[in-house]
Amino acid sequence: MVREFELPDVGEGVAEGELLRWRVEPGDSVSEDQPVAEVETDKAVVDVPSPVNGVVEELRAAEGELVPVGDVIIVFQVDGEDEPDGTEPTPADDATADSGHQTDDEAPTQPAEDTQSEPAVTQRVQVAAPPSVRRLARELGVDISNIADSSLGRITESDVRAHANTDSYSSTQEQSNQQTAAAERQKQQAPSTQSVSSVQARETADRETTVAVPKTRHVAAEEGIDLDTVPTDERKDGEPFVTLEAVQEYAKAQQQAQKNDKEAVAERAAADESARPESRTPYNGIRQTIGAAMTESKSTAPHVTHQDEVDVTALVDARSTLRQAAEEHDIRLTYMPFVMKACAAALQENPQVNVSLDEANEEIVEKQYYNIGVATATDAGLLVPVVEDVDAKGLLEVASETNEKTQRARERSLSPEEMRGGTFTISNIGGIGGEYGTPIINQPESAILALGEIKKKPRVVEADGEETIEPRHVMTLSLSFDHRVLDGADAARFTNSVQKYLRNPNLLLLE
């Protein structure tokens, strides 16, 4: 028996997914729940499992194609139920298989030999084409299902352009002929820009007054035309006289001249643009999801950024001391776990920051748990794995889990669930040389902290009542917060708490 399998909703209400890779080929035997494809959805790559035990009959989607949820992507031949004569049953065959005969209502209206000679027009055909080719087809108004593929079973840009040129040749030629004829008529009926200018220079150089009836003056005013500039050979009472027809003809000539100028400018701009080397990448998948989330956050929450510096010389020393001990446990110890623990402690001291805004119910939700997200740069964009209950975990445990999740984020093997439930996010812009920033809040959270690069800077240090200038390790902090639920004072107090733990990391031992 043939079984068609539709792309399921592999995220939370997603409408489509990009088929990244097939894990099977036609003829392969598969078992139930065996991954058959990789599909990219909301910030994650998800395995699509087989729903049956059987043999892969047909792949209905191409790698790189955007497939709507509910579209058939693969066809299986279910194990243990062979079809007679090696053919697939039609829906009608399935409906009458149990009875073994057709009723009068189900009998075909065409002779059997004609039915066999007709193509299977009711079978759904999935056209294999990458997203960029589908977009080009839409732009050119081409029905991609009518195009015969050139090679390898996939429609290419050349196929689309060739089809568009074939369909539009006649209409294009006719349009060109019409434009040529219109241009000839315009030459005969309307003066050119040059002739208008020359006539105007010849006949209006000494004109200070022009005679015209009120309607002509009204039309000229509507068209924005100075009557004294309209050429005329007519006279009335010895003064130049301009008719309504002359004004209308002059206005048309001026409008055509302006249109020609605009078209020439546009053509030059298009020529210049086409001469510049460019490449284009489809804006979809994770990059598009990130863009939508950032746009929503920035347009919804009024962002304010509080910035400060903190002396982290003691933190640098502490990390240097503990680094070797961490390596003995096969754990790479960075500054991030220290900052995560410091933020969890500061959130406990400043619970007003560990909140989210429930707009639907008009409530501020204060969280009593401390899940810290770590913004991670990947080839596909910025992903935010979440480490839960940071306040209840030791430094090495936080370091180990952070390292493991950020690595899987870069490998695109992180599940969507591992990027949800955060209450506060940290972004380390200093890792690539940044110092200050204005990070965008990872909603529904209410604040995000950007860490700058640790640099040596001269600082005044007081010891034994004396002040000296010494080189110290300094890190910058940039806290963006949602001004709907937090005030500047809240942000300052929270940042001060974070600085307290970073200046003296030994205090984290008490947490």
Side-chain angles (χ1 to χ4, degrees):
M1 182 178 69
V2 172
R3 170 72 180 275
E4 293 183 338
F5 180 56
E6 301 173 349
L7 178 66
D9 184 351
V10 291
E12 292 185 350
V14 297
E16 63 184 5
E18 181 178 354
L19 200 154
L20 295 183
R21 181 168 70 96
W22 282 112
R23 292 194 171 190
V24 294
E25 297 179 354
D28 288 353
S29 296
V30 297
S31 57
E32 187 174 356
D33 294 329
Q34 174 185 337
V36 296
E38 290 182 0
V39 174
E40 179 181 280
T41 181
D42 187 10
K43 294 190 177 181
V45 175
V46 182
D47 286 329
V48 177
S50 169
V52 296
N53 297 320
V55 177
V56 177
E57 186 82 10
E58 180 185 0
L59 304 180
R60 292 277 185 90
E63 293 182 352
E65 183 178 350
L66 286 175
V67 183
V69 169
D71 275 18
V72 176
I73 60 172
I74 187 170
V75 179
F76 298 98
Q77 184 76 35
V78 178
D79 288 347
E81 299 187 30
D82 297 332
E83 295 298 331
D85 301 328
T87 61
E88 295 182 7
T90 64
D93 293 332
D94 288 339
T96 60
D98 292 338
S99 62
H101 66 277
Q102 284 185 324
T103 66
D104 291 340
D105 292 339
E106 296 169 335
T109 58
Q110 296 295 332
E113 58 271 15
D114 292 342
T115 302
Q116 293 177 356
S117 64
E118 290 292 330
V121 296
T122 58
Q123 181 179 0
R124 179 176 181 177
V125 178
Q126 182 72 31
V127 180
S132 59
V133 174
R134 292 181 181 277
R135 182 171 61 252
L136 176 63
R138 290 194 297 269
E139 293 173 353
L140 297 180
V142 173
D143 184 353
I144 200 168
S145 63
N146 293 333
I147 303 176
D149 54 320
S150 59
S151 62
L152 302 178
R154 291 170 65 89
I155 303 298
T156 65
E157 289 191 7
S158 299
D159 298 330
V160 173
R161 295 187 185 280
H163 192 79
N165 291 338
T166 300
D167 287 350
S168 62
Y169 174 78
S170 299
S171 60
T172 302
Q173 186 65 39
E174 181 180 355
Q175 181 180 5
S176 176
N177 293 339
Q178 292 175 351
Q179 291 174 346
T180 302
E184 291 297 329
R185 289 195 301 271
Q186 182 179 330
K187 288 180 180 179
Q188 298 173 3
Q189 297 174 2
S192 66
T193 305
Q194 181 177 0
S195 64
V196 170
S197 300
S198 60
V199 171
Q200 176 181 338
R202 185 180 67 251
E203 300 189 22
T204 66
D206 298 327
R207 275 170 55 183
E208 296 181 356
T209 60
T210 299
V211 179
V213 299
K215 184 176 181 180
T216 300
R217 294 186 180 277
H218 178 71
V219 171
E222 286 184 340
E223 296 290 344
I225 293 175
D226 183 356
L227 281 175
D228 293 337
T229 64
V230 179
T232 181
D233 293 331
E234 297 189 33
R235 297 275 172 172
K236 187 172 184 181
D237 298 332
E239 297 290 345
F241 177 73
V242 173
T243 64
L244 177 61
E245 292 74 14
V247 170
Q248 293 173 334
E249 183 179 349
Y250 185 76
K252 183 184 295 186
Q254 294 290 77
Q255 292 168 359
Q256 185 61 44
Q258 294 173 359
K259 180 180 178 182
N260 292 342
D261 289 342
K262 290 181 180 179
E263 290 176 351
V265 171
E267 289 176 1
R268 287 196 297 270
D272 292 342
E273 185 174 347
S274 63
R276 299 173 186 145
E278 294 180 342
S279 62
R280 292 175 177 260
T281 303
Y283 180 58
N284 54 23
I286 288 180
R287 185 72 267 170
Q288 190 177 50
T289 301
I290 294 172
M294 294 297 99
T295 300
E296 181 181 3
S297 177
K298 192 68 175 179
S299 60
T300 301
H303 282 57
V304 179
T305 303
H306 174 85
Q307 297 175 328
D308 209 338
E309 291 184 336
V310 54
D311 186 333
V312 293
T313 303
L315 174 62
V316 172
D317 294 339
R319 184 230 180 189
S320 178
T321 302
L322 298 175
R323 191 174 184 176
Q324 185 174 355
E327 290 176 352
E328 293 176 357
H329 293 82
D330 294 326
I331 298 174
R332 184 172 60 91
L333 185 61
T334 65
Y335 293 109
M336 182 59 73
F338 291 94
V339 180
M340 293 169 69
K341 291 289 292 181
C343 286
L347 289 172
Q348 289 177 298
E349 295 177 1
N350 300 270
Q352 72 276 15
V353 179
N354 201 44
V355 301
S356 62
L357 179 61
D358 184 350
E359 295 184 72
N361 295 312
E362 297 183 343
E363 296 174 338
I364 297 175
V365 183
E366 184 179 308
K367 313 294 179 60
Q368 276 84 45
Y369 51 93
Y370 306 93
N371 298 345
I372 307 297
V374 179
T376 304
T378 73
D379 292 339
L382 199 65
L383 303 183
V384 186
V386 175
V387 179
E388 297 183 351
D389 302 320
V390 171
D391 60 309
K393 295 176 180 177
L395 184 67
L396 291 185
E397 186 178 1
V398 172
S400 177
E401 187 173 345
T402 301
N403 292 341
E404 185 261 339
K405 286 190 173 180
T406 54
Q407 180 60 34
R408 287 198 291 114
R410 295 186 182 98
E411 295 171 354
R412 306 283 301 284
S413 61
L414 204 63
S415 68
E417 290 74 18
E418 293 174 296
M419 293 183 283
R420 300 192 184 105
T423 64
F424 186 83
T425 296
I426 302 172
S427 178
N428 183 18
I429 61 175
I432 53 177
E435 190 164 5
Y436 285 101
T438 54
I440 297 178
I441 299 166
N442 185 26
Q443 288 192 327
E445 300 165 16
S446 294
I448 179 173
L449 180 67
L451 308 177
E453 182 182 8
I454 298 177
K455 296 181 178 180
K456 275 192 173 183
K457 297 182 179 181
R459 287 293 181 267
V460 176
V461 178
E462 184 176 353
D464 299 328
E466 295 184 1
E467 293 182 346
T468 58
I469 297 179
E470 299 179 7
R472 306 288 289 181
H473 293 281
V474 177
M475 179 168 63
T476 55
L477 305 176
S478 300
L479 180 74
S480 288
F481 60 94
D482 185 345
H483 216 331
R484 294 176 300 175
V485 294
L486 296 176
D487 296 325
D490 297 318
R493 280 191 287 266
F494 173 78
T495 306
N496 290 340
S497 294
V498 173
Q499 291 185 63
K500 176 181 65 176
Y501 290 103
L502 296 182
R503 278 195 297 265
N504 185 2
N506 289 332
L507 292 176
L508 295 173
L509 299 175
L510 302 177
E511 295 299 316

